[in-house]
């Protein structure tokens, strides 16, 4: 089963390590942005959707779904129209165009090939990011606060 | 492609990391899962190792002042010039007119070599430029025996008491601390901090004290702990401590700290009842006051409560503990040396590492630099101080040299060079020994330094220190309240290191946090008519700066927070030497605000 990066917001401390890890493993461009909503500081990461809107939106076929489920932008085909960035329901594709560099999360394909986890997951100091199979993820990840039952930090951030 | 292992020195945890090296360059960060402290995890600062190794702006060749600018020179030329100037200065002003300052991110060997270099020159003006909060903590712990908890064991603890913003300044511990809390029902996390930090959000007891009153809060906890304990449990310090603490009235504690005695008693009960407990001290610049007292009170708290208890002191600088041990009892501390220099006592100053002008942007330092006739600065990047230096020397970073650093008590980590330094840069140890050769002596390692042991806590001094905290605060507040109604507290983050002069060279850091801001409570912002942002002019007795505003509910009213990693924030903190400590005072600062439109 394809594995994905999951964020357990229960554990996120907003340190930015995931973003830095991505930056330093992708030639100085980060695909993990983190921002603050009033309730929390949360990372924004590509979900590598089952039925991706960015792939459908691309006029030039530059975004492809690979066999292992990774949604990858083919830089040579990209014409820089920004459609994918507009189409993404999670807003995680950086609209900036820089040639020949990966601007969309590629799940650290080389690291995966070496049997390692993506850089952001390995770096995460609090254990909020995990790399797991979609079906293995229990409800605790889907229900915010499931793990800590009502004690969730998000509810107390106000 | 090979993977080389090294250590991060951007805080005192000393996380392990790997660097992929190919030919002469660093290609990427690799994680180091076997390292006991971090298990491969890295905070943003850990990742900077890669950029530090490859940075195009690193100093790579010695430079000598030539009129207004600097010109490139060979090591021979630079060191010969320096040796001649040292000799001349020694002849005309005496050896005491030479000063040497090292920052605490050097290896133990380098600090010892610096000390020996100073001895050989005949000057006692050698010191390390500790951050004020690190120095206070180290001074408090000095010579005392305490049980230090290993960072990797934290997950087994039932009660963790954190002083300061742990996840912000040492994020790597987050997984263990959170893990410990949720491991078993009944485990607890107590946080003493005025800000609702991400650390505090995980706490089940959050003592939102008034800034600077942490030592009093701890004294209150200790007081209620002792009240309930039996005579024999109280042990050897008991009587004296009990009497001393009883002299500090409950009202004084709760008034100055803003926390009811009942809450403190609850915290004391929880900590005492837990099987295994630890006090984590994570002080920050301009955030805490009375650090020696804080350190000693934590030891007492750990010793006097039931079960297996210990403390875990954490520092800003990577080798603060090792540097302090390598050069104990300096004749003059760093601020005293600077004072001496501004009085004209120091004519030749050698600075290794920290850019003191950006770390302590104050009149005292500027005056000292002005008074010094010959200034030498060795560092990683061009800095504020190199604009004034007569010789600028390129240093190797800790990733490019060998040596040992003491991250924790009794545990040394060995550094191995990952890559050679850029250009012809050299490790500071080599610079010092070559300089020594030119001056006609050698820096052979001397016999082992003797460890200080067997000192016990001076209870009366401690109580005096604690008791003076509320009084001082109210007296000063009375005087300053009108003119400076707000209290400015320093805030740490995982993006920048210390004064930020190194980390401001890094790409990701500048993308995320290029400039400082100031946080203000929503109600205060309303009162000032700030809606949603704008800029304010912040003024303290020692400086002023204009900062953009961020409005938040996570801090109390009347208090402002600003990241202490920027000179624009640090200049607001005065250069005040605490006579008891012999070092710069660490404390929140009184400021006033004016809205800029
Ligand atoms: S700064 Fe501290 S916590 Fe972060 S990686 Fe370096 S040693 Fe670890």
């Amino acid at each position: 089963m394809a594995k994905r990066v999951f964020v357990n917001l229960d554990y996120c401390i907003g340190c930015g390590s995931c973003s830095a890890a991505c930056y330093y493993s992708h030639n100085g461009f980060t695909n993990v942005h983190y921002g603050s909503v009033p309730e929390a500081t949360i990372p924004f990461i590509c979900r590598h959707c089952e039925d991706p809107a960015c792939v459908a939106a691309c006029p030039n076929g530059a975004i492809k779904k690979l066999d292992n489920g990774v949604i990858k932008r083919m830089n040579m085909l990209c014409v820089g129209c920004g459609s994918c960035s507009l189409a993404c329901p999670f807003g995680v594709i950086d609209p900036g165009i820089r040639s020949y560099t990966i601007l969309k999360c590629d799940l650290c394909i080389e690291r995966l090939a070496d049997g390692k986890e993506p850089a952001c997951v390995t770096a995460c100091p609090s254990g909020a990011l995990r790399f797991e199979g979609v079906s293995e993820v229990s409800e605790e990840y889907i229900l915010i606060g499931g793990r800590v039952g009502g004690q969730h930090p998000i509810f107390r951030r106000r | 492609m090979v993977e080389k292992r090294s250590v991060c020195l951007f805080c005192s945890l000393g996380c392990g990391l790997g660097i992929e090296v190919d030919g002469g360059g660093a290609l990427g960060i690799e994680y180091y899962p076997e390292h006991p402290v971090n298990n491969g995890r890295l905070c943003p600062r850990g990742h900077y190792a890669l950029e530090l190794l490859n940075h195009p702006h690193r100093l790579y060749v010695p430079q000598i002042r030539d009129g207004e600018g600097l010109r490139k020179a060979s090591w021979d030329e630079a060191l010969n010039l320096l040796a001649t100037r040292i000799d001349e200065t020694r002849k005309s002003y005496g050896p005491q007119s030479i000063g040497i300052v090292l920052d605490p991110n050097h290896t133990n060997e380098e600090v010892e070599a610096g000390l020996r270099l100073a001895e050989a020159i005949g000057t006692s003006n050698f010191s390390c430029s500790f951050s004020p909060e690190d120095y206070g903590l180290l001074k408090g712990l000095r010579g005392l025996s305490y049980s230090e908890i290993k960072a990797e064991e934290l997950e087994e603890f039932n009660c963790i008491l954190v002083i300061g913003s742990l996840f912000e300044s040492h994020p790597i511990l987050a997984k263990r601390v959170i893990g410990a809390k949720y491991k078993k029902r009944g485990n607890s996390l107590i946080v003493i901090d005025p800000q609702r930090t991400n650390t505090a959000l995980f706490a089940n007891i959050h003592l939102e004290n008034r800034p600077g009153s942490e030592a009093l809060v701890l004294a209150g906890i200790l007081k209620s702990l002792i009240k309930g304990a039996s005579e024999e449990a109280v042990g050897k310090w008991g009587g004296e401590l009990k009497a001393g603490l009883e002299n500090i009235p409950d009202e004084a504690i709760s008034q100055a700290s803003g926390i009811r005695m009942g809450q403190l008693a609850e915290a004391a009960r929880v900590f005492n009842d837990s099987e295994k407990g630890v006090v984590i001290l994570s002080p920050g610049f301009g955030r805490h006051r009375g650090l020696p007292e804080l350190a000693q009170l934590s030891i007492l708290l750990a010793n006097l409560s039931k079960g297996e208890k210990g403390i875990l002191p954490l520092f800003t600088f990577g080798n603060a503990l090792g540097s302090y041990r390598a050069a104990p009892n300096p004749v003059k501390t760093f601020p005293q040396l600077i004072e001496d220099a501004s009085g004209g006592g120091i004519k030749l100053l050698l600075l290794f590492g920290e850019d003191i002008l950006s770390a302590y942007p104050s009149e005292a330092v500027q005056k000292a630099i002005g008074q010094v006739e010959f200034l030498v600065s060795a560092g990683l990047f061009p800095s504020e101080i190199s604009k004034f230096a007569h010789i600028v020397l390129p240093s190797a970073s800790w990733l490019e040299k060998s040596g040992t650093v003491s991250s924790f008590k009794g545990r040394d980590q060995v550094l191995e060079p990952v890559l050679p330094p850029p250009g012809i840069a050299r490790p500071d140890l080599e610079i010092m020994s070559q300089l020594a050769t030119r001056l006609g002596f050698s820096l052979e390692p001397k016999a082992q330094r003797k460890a200080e042991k067997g000192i016990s806590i001076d209870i009366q001094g401690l109580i005096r220190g604690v008791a003076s905290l509320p009084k001082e605060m109210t007296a000063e507040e009375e005087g300053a309240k009108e003119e400076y109604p707000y209290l400015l507290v320093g805030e740490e983050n995982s993006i920048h290191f210390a004064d930020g002069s190194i980390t401001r060279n890094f790409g990701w850091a500048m993308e995320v946090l290029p400039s400082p801001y100031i946080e203000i409570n929503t109600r205060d912002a309303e009162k000032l008519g700030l809606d949603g942002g704008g800029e304010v002019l912040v003024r303290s007795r020692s400086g002023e700066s204009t900062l953009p505003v961020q409005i938040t509910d996570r801090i109390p009213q009347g208090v402002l927070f600003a990241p202490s990693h920027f000179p624009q924030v640090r200049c607001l903190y005065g250069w005040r030497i605490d006579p008891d400590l012999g070092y710069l005072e660490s404390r929140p600062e009184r400021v006033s605000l004016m809205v800029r439109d």
Side-chain angles (χ1 to χ4, degrees), chain A residues 9-25 28-30 32-34 38-41 98 111 114 116 118-127 147-148 151-153 156-158, chain B residues 3 20 27-31 39-45 47-48 50-51 167-168 171-176 178-179 181-183 196 198-204 494-495 506-509 511-512 553-554:
Chain A
L9 285 180
D10 281 355
Y11 287 172
C12 182
I13 57 166
C15 65
S17 304
C18 45
S19 177
C22 191
Y23 185 95
Y24 288 106
S25 55
F29 301 112
T30 185
V32 188
H33 295 278
Y34 71 102
E39 288 80 13
T41 312
R98 295 160 186 128
R111 287 181 63 88
D114 288 350
K116 295 172 187 153
C120 53
V121 178
T122 320
C124 180
S126 69
R147 160 91 189 212
V148 286
Q151 285 263 313
H152 187 267
R156 292 187 279 139
R157 284 183 208 243
R158 288 266 170 201
Chain B
E3 192 196 321
E20 283 174 355
L27 295 184
I29 289 277
E30 202 30 85
Y31 300 91
N39 295 139
R41 295 186 286 271
L42 278 186
C43 87
R45 282 171 299 186
H47 290 90
Y48 297 155
L50 181 67
E51 207 171 345
F167 297 172
E168 282 70 18
I172 291 304
L173 293 183
K175 184 161 190 192
R176 299 223 172 81
I178 299 172
K181 189 194 161 191
Y182 292 122
K183 196 165 182 185
R196 254 185 286 156
N198 280 335
T199 324
L201 292 170
F202 284 93
N204 39 2
S494 48
I495 302 164
F506 298 142
W508 186 80
E511 226 170 72
V512 179
D553 276 335
R554 294 168 78 166

Side-chain angles (χ1 to χ4, degrees), chain B residues 23 30 54 136 189 243 360 388 409 433 467 477 523 533 589:
Chain B
E30 202 30 85
N54 290 337
L189 176 64
Y360 306 100
F388 299 91
K409 188 181 158 196
S433 68
E477 274 174 15
R523 294 244 183 91
E589 183 71 56

